[in-house]
Amino acid sequence: MSKTLLYGATKIDETNSAYAPIESLAAFQWKNRVFVLFADRDNARAARQENQLLADRSALGERDMVVLKVSGSKVRALFGAADGLDGEAICHDLEGPEAGEFAAFLLGKDGTVKLKLSEPITNGELFAIIDSMPMRAEMLKSDK
């Protein structure tokens, strides 16, 4: 069993055409990877995930990340710019959790879900997943 599965993560099969770009986050397609964090009722896991991510802002920037926190219909950009987003539409499009439950999603630059989490993930694990994505791997290769 992989370590990410132990943390409640599911890597999404990118070749499955059922995973279409997420309409409510279409403004980010081909520009940013989006990490969407749904707050849990007591906010403990969401706060842990938020603090962990924001501790390495330079790595988020290098990976063209936008980090969003959704609580009900409210969306707050934790990293990057985002205006006029509807939390309920995002939750519906991602098939997100019930109100008060923790979940997180990583969307690739193509706008599709690459990772779904039911528990917080470490930055090292998240960045390793991103760095293995074809667009990121190609960019890293061209930098050498």
Side-chain angles (χ1 to χ4, degrees):
M1 185 183 302
S2 74
K3 191 169 187 178
T4 53
L5 289 175
L6 291 174
Y7 283 93
T10 306
K11 189 165 184 185
I12 305 299
D13 177 10
E14 299 171 23
T15 61
N16 187 336
S17 62
Y19 295 98
I22 303 301
E23 193 64 38
S24 56
L25 297 170
F28 300 105
Q29 193 171 3
W30 304 118
K31 293 181 262 180
N32 299 100
R33 291 175 186 89
V34 182
F35 190 87
V36 180
L37 176 62
F38 290 92
D40 49 340
R41 199 170 321 283
D42 64 2
N43 205 28
R45 291 181 292 177
R48 187 167 75 228
Q49 184 70 75
E50 178 180 336
N51 291 335
Q52 203 163 281
L53 284 170
L54 297 179
D56 200 348
R57 292 173 182 267
S58 64
L60 294 172
E62 287 170 20
R63 289 166 178 83
D64 301 324
M65 299 279 299
V66 170
V67 179
L68 305 174
K69 185 173 184 180
V70 177
S71 296
S73 63
K74 296 181 181 143
V75 180
R76 193 175 91 205
L78 300 177
F79 184 83
D83 291 319
L85 297 173
D86 179 351
E88 290 174 356
I90 293 170
C91 187
H92 177 267
D93 289 351
L94 288 173
E95 297 177 15
E98 296 292 320
E101 295 296 318
F102 174 88
F105 294 79
L106 173 65
L107 280 66
K109 284 189 173 184
D110 64 358
T112 64
V113 175
K114 305 298 184 188
L115 187 68
K116 180 179 178 179
L117 300 156
S118 58
E119 291 293 328
I121 188 171
T122 68
N123 285 355
E125 291 170 318
L126 178 63
F127 297 152
I129 290 167
I130 292 169
D131 292 346
S132 70
M133 292 178 179
M135 288 182 76
R136 176 72 177 160
E138 201 53 42
M139 193 206 81
L140 290 172
K141 191 187 304 181
S142 69
D143 284 349
K144 290 184 180 178

